[in-house]
Amino acid sequence: MAQLANDCFAYSGESLTVSEARALIGDRMSPATGMETIALGLADGRILAADVVASLDVPPFDNAAVDGYAVRFADLDPDITTPLRLLGRQAAGGPAVRLDGTRGAVRIFTGAPVPEGFDTIAMQEDVAFKQGGVTIPSGLQKGANRRLAGEDMACGATVLTAGRRLGPAEIALMAALGKPDVTVRSRLRVALFSTGDEVVPPGVALRRGQVYDANRAMLLALLVRCGANVHDLGILPDRRDAVAAALHEAAASHDLLITSGGVSAGEEDHVRAAVAEAGSLIFWRLALKPGRPLAMGVVKGVPFIGLPGNPVAAFVTFTQVGRVALACLSGESRDPALPFEVRAGFSHRKPGGRRDYLRARLRLGPFGLEAVKHPADGSGIITSLTETDGFVELHETTLAVEVGDRVGFLPYTALF
Ligand code: AMP
Ligand code: MG
C-alpha cells in the first residue's frame, strides 16, 4: 500500500482509466482477512481459503445412469436382439446381487452399482420382458448408460481453487466429496460512513436544504452482498478534523474504510484533506462517468475508499472499482464481469478517453436483445438505476453510438 501511495504522484492532476485503477488495486492490495472453518450449510457467498482436492472418486463406483438391465457386452449379438435369463436384481443402496458367472442380465436401477463383470445397461423402455427373461435390443454401444467411477471428480484432482466465491454448485461439489465443513476467509470488516452537513438518516423529518442518506443504505446492501461484515458508522459532518478523527478511530478495528461524498474539488469537500491528514491519499480522479471523483488512501495501514456523493456515481464507482479492492482484500479471485453484446436501441455521443456507464433497460426487439438507455443521465437520478436492468459500458475509444450498433451490456446482478 505504501508503494500504491507513492504511485499517486505519477497520476496527480490526471485521470486514471478504469483499467489502470483496477490494475493498481490488483497489484498492490492483498488479502487482509484470516481464515475460519464453517459448516458447509453456511458457506454460500463465502470465499474459499484453500484449494479443494478430491479425496475420493465421484461417483465412488461404476453405476447405472438409467433404470434397466445390466449386461455383459460380450454376451450380446450386435445385429439382432439377444434373449437373456434374468439373474437377479440390484437396487441403489441395496445389497449386492449374488452372481455365479452364468450368462444373463441383472435388473438394475439408477444409481445402483454395476455388478462385477457387467459393463453395459439397456434402458428398460427398450427391453422386452418375458417370463424369466428379457430381450435386449440390438445396436447397444459398449458401456452405454454406465457412469464410471471418478468420471465427475477423480481422486487427487484439484476441483476448486482458493479464492473461489462459493455458491450452490460449489457447495454441492464439496458435499459430494463428503466434506461437512469448509475453510473460508473471514469476512472483511468494513467501516461505512456517509458525509455531508445536508445528509440526514431516513426516519427523521427533513428540513429545508436536507436530503436523506441514500448512499449508506445502498452501500450497506452492496457490501453485504459482497460478503463483508459492515459496521454502519453514520454520517460525518463536513469538517476535516471530524472526518480525520472518525477514520483514525475506525482504522483500529476494520480492514477497509469507505465513505461517500466530499471527494470533489469543492471547498466543502473535506474527505480528501482528512485522509491526507489521518494517513495518505492515493488518487482521486477516474476517467469514468458517472463518478469521476474517487479517493483512495491508507489510514494507519488500513485501505480507504472515498466514493462520490451522488448516489448513481457512488454505485458505479463501487461496482466498477471499489468491488475490485473488496475482492483483493477479501482474498477473492474475481475477474470483472464480462459484458454481453446487445443491439443499441438509442444513439449517444461521448468524449474519448473516458469510460461511460449508461443505465439501460433490456427489451426483446425484432432484431434480438436491445438496450434502451434511460432518458436521465444525471449522476444523482436514483430512478435511472431502479428503472433499468444494467449498464451499457462504453469504452474510452468510443465516441458515438448509433441505433443498431453492438454495445456491451453488464446486468446489475453480475456486478456484486
Ligand atoms: P458531494 O460529493 O459531497 O459534493 O455530494 C454530491 C451530491 O451528492 C450532493 O448533491 C449531495 O447532497 C449528494 N449526496 C452526498 N451524500 C449523499 C448521500 N449519502 N445520500 C444521498 N445523496 C448524497
Ligand atoms: Mg458533500
Side-chain angles (χ1 to χ4, degrees):
M1 288 301 289
Q3 184 58 44
L4 192 57
N6 293 339
D7 284 353
C8 165
F9 299 108
Y11 292 109
S12 60
E14 293 173 33
S15 296
L16 276 183
T17 65
V18 173
S19 307
E20 284 169 338
R22 287 176 181 164
L24 207 55
I25 290 167
D27 279 356
R28 310 298 159 78
M29 282 191 182
S30 51
T33 55
M35 300 177 188
E36 62 196 53
T37 298
I38 58 169
L40 202 55
L42 300 174
D44 188 33
R46 302 298 299 267
I47 311 301
L48 191 63
D51 291 358
V52 172
V53 176
S55 49
L56 66 149
D57 279 342
V58 175
F61 48 88
D62 288 10
N63 68 91
V66 295
D67 289 344
Y69 295 85
V71 296
R72 300 178 184 92
F73 185 74
D75 288 345
L76 302 182
D77 190 313
D79 301 320
I80 53 166
T81 59
T82 310
L84 289 173
R85 273 180 54 210
L86 202 49
L87 303 176
R89 187 175 189 278
Q90 180 65 68
V97 63
R98 283 164 181 267
L99 298 166
D100 58 9
T102 40
R103 192 167 176 271
V106 173
R107 177 70 169 130
I108 196 165
F109 299 90
T110 306
V114 177
E116 193 69 40
F118 287 64
D119 50 23
T120 301
I121 320 289
M123 280 176 77
Q124 64 184 21
E125 293 85 335
D126 300 335
V127 171
F129 187 77
K130 278 190 275 161
Q131 203 63 35
V134 287
T135 305
I136 306 297
S138 62
L140 206 56
Q141 299 287 315
K142 183 174 184 182
N145 303 314
R146 179 182 55 160
R147 301 193 285 217
L148 295 175
E151 71 174 20
D152 187 356
M153 294 176 252
C155 183
T158 301
V159 284
L160 293 175
T161 49
R164 178 72 166 253
R165 189 171 192 193
L166 302 175
E170 290 75 18
I171 290 170
L173 176 149
M174 289 184 282
L177 288 171
K179 297 183 187 303
D181 43 39
V182 54
T183 302
V184 296
R185 288 276 176 188
S186 300
R187 291 187 188 278
L188 199 71
R189 298 165 306 163
V190 180
L192 176 64
F193 301 93
S194 290
T195 72
D197 287 342
E198 79 283 26
V199 180
V200 295
V204 306
L206 206 60
R207 294 207 313 268
R208 186 177 158 72
Q210 294 181 324
V211 294
Y212 284 122
D213 184 353
N215 291 349
R216 207 153 34 102
M218 172 181 76
L219 292 166
L220 180 72
L222 284 167
L223 287 162
V224 166
R225 286 202 182 194
C226 297
N229 192 349
V230 190
H231 289 159
D232 178 350
L233 293 171
I235 302 164
L236 297 173
D238 281 322
R239 274 190 6 244
R240 183 173 76 175
D241 55 344
V243 176
L247 293 177
H248 203 268
E249 192 188 333
S253 53
H254 294 90
D255 308 307
L256 173 64
L257 312 172
I258 297 186
T259 63
S260 67
V263 289
S264 307
E267 57 206 61
E268 287 297 334
D269 292 315
H270 299 290
V271 172
R272 281 186 300 128
V275 174
E277 181 183 315
S280 57
L281 186 73
I282 297 173
F283 63 74
W284 68 283
R285 259 193 223 126
L286 280 180
L288 168 155
K289 188 186 175 185
R292 194 164 92 114
L294 174 84
M296 302 213 49
V298 184
V299 176
K300 288 206 299 185
V302 177
F304 159 83
I305 301 176
L307 299 167
N310 281 304
V312 180
F315 185 92
V316 170
T317 45
F318 177 83
T319 57
Q320 299 307 314
V321 180
R323 182 70 186 86
V324 178
L326 208 73
C328 291
L329 296 168
S330 311
E332 179 183 4
S333 340
R334 183 176 197 276
D335 294 323
L338 287 178
F340 59 86
E341 266 201 2
V342 298
R343 184 179 189 272
F346 61 93
S347 60
H348 183 74
R349 296 274 174 284
K350 73 180 263 301
R354 187 182 78 191
R355 196 175 291 197
D356 283 16
Y357 289 88
L358 309 179
R359 278 77 69 206
R361 184 167 57 77
L362 281 185
R363 75 167 175 218
L364 198 52
F367 306 104
L369 266 189
E370 192 171 73
V372 182
K373 184 183 152 315
H374 195 276
D377 282 324
S379 60
I381 309 286
I382 300 175
T383 48
S384 76
L385 290 173
T386 58
E387 293 170 0
T388 53
D389 304 305
F391 294 127
V392 167
E393 185 184 46
L394 299 180
H395 275 252
E396 288 79 0
T397 50
T398 303
L399 300 175
V401 175
E402 304 300 344
V403 173
D405 285 356
R406 308 300 295 175
V407 289
F409 185 83
L410 289 165
Y412 296 135
T413 47
L415 302 178
F416 23 84

